[in-house]
Amino acid sequence: MDIESLRTFVALAETGRFQAVADDLRITQQAVSKRIVSLEKHLGVSLLTRTTRGSRLTLDGQALLPHAERVMRAVDQAEKAVRPGSRPLRVDILNRRISPAQAVYRFHQAYPEAALDAVTLGDENSAQAAQAVLDGSLDASFRALAADDVPEGVRADRILEVPLQLLVGPNHPLAGEEYVRPSDLADHRIWIPGIRPGTEWERYYRSLAESFGVTIDALGPHFGDEALMDSLADSASLGTLVGNDDRYLWPDAYGLRRIPLRRPTPLYPHLLITRSGETHPVLTALREYLRNSAPQTPDDAWTPEWVTH
């Protein structure tokens, strides 16, 4: 059964006039008649009777009308669900504690009317996230994606770059420093549990370690952020790396210190991954918000060479 023929039938049932329906649907009166004839032929019944004042429904037409109206309402709802701006923007924020989540949350606070669906795909690597964007199960994702790994049909904006900080307990030798250089970490244990091989963050931290002679320890089970904070508070030698906008919480008694890394300042590049040509209005607003709210890039910024967008 043709949807346009059904739409024409419902319109005729409302107005009774072929020319009025033709004008509303922007087709000819002959096309209206052909659609009705096609629908009647498909159903094997007569749906309309022409009169001097237009047309009226037959008994079969009256029986069909409520079902046809329900179908058209469902079609209209389906079209609205996928029309740009009619559905929430589905964004992968990777982890609810880190900078992309905080940036999207601030956007939501600034534009509460913008419909968002924030999800976390922390188990997928950058290539898998890009594929999810490409096949439409995501509208956007934040990933440190290498230029050579951007698939055709995907756009990557270098739009959210996060300076790294050293996080240590109060008894750590560097706890009192105003800032530390990345090379200063060479003689200290940097523990980042939970780094999985094949992920973009594993590649980033490997590049960082090779560039500055730092040993990053990812060994041991990762029992969660709270357990990591416990370990840092009790240790005089252990440290980890976090983004300056990452939101980690710990009891005041822990006395943990966040110390900026400078000379140079390592930036973690959260690229905004979207489909090429995507026109969702909330995505346009989000991209503009991120660009306008981004802090100035430090003069001594460092990112791996493979991030060349």
Side-chain angles (χ1 to χ4, degrees), residues 191-269:
W191 188 39
I192 308 180
I195 296 179
R196 291 188 296 105
T199 58
E200 66 271 22
W201 51 92
E202 185 268 340
R203 184 177 184 183
Y204 175 87
Y205 285 119
R206 177 160 35 90
S207 297
L208 180 73
E210 292 171 353
S211 296
F212 299 105
V214 179
T215 300
I216 295 179
D217 181 1
L219 299 177
H222 182 32
F223 290 106
D225 297 326
E226 289 76 11
L228 176 59
M229 303 303 134
D230 291 344
S231 298
L232 293 175
D234 293 336
S235 175
S237 61
L238 190 64
T240 194
L241 298 177
V242 297
N244 74 335
D245 199 28
D246 294 355
R247 189 171 184 267
Y248 294 98
L249 303 176
W250 55 81
D252 290 341
Y254 281 17
L256 301 188
R257 309 285 200 273
R258 300 181 73 136
I259 307 167
L261 296 182
R262 296 178 186 165
R263 300 174 60 186
T265 300
L267 300 180
Y268 191 96

Side-chain angles (χ1 to χ4, degrees), residues 3 30 32 65 68 81 116 133 156 249 287 291:
I3 291 295
Q30 183 180 19
V32 173
L65 181 59
L116 285 168
V133 168
L249 303 176
R287 185 181 285 116
R291 284 189 173 136

